[in-house]
Amino acid sequence: MYIEFALPKGTGQTGAHALLLVRKGVADWATKHSVAYTEKTIKYTHRVCFDDDSMCNFFALSYTGFGKFRIVDPLNNLT
């Protein structure tokens, strides 16, 4: 499972600034709760992965930073 943030589409500083705010919000949250994570940006989505899947639920309940996100389960996301 991972967390996926949707970034604004288009070129320019809007998308870059949104990504900066999302990354800072996730980093602040992870530091506060002592959680290790990895992140990856692909086109207009930013993914945050945790070692333990239960951290995705904890993140969803406790994150108050910038950006709208969704929890993605790759096993249920097959199309």
Side-chain angles (χ1 to χ4, degrees):
M1 291 174 62
Y2 58 88
I3 304 292
E4 184 175 84
F5 288 88
L7 300 173
K9 290 183 170 52
T11 59
Q13 295 181 348
T14 306
H17 187 63
L19 177 60
L20 177 74
L21 292 175
V22 166
R23 290 186 72 193
K24 181 171 179 1
V26 171
D28 291 346
W29 177 88
T31 302
K32 179 180 178 181
H33 298 288
S34 300
V35 175
Y37 67 97
T38 58
E39 56 187 352
K40 182 184 210 179
T41 305
I42 301 172
K43 292 191 180 182
Y44 302 108
T45 59
H46 183 70
R47 294 178 180 173
V48 179
C49 302
F50 302 105
D51 292 338
D52 185 13
D53 285 346
S54 66
M55 293 309 297
C56 288
N57 294 327
F58 180 63
F59 180 87
L61 292 172
S62 61
Y63 181 72
T64 58
F66 180 82
K68 293 183 179 180
F69 63 89
R70 66 185 186 132
I71 298 176
V72 178
D73 187 356
L75 298 177
N76 292 333
N77 200 24
L78 300 174
T79 55

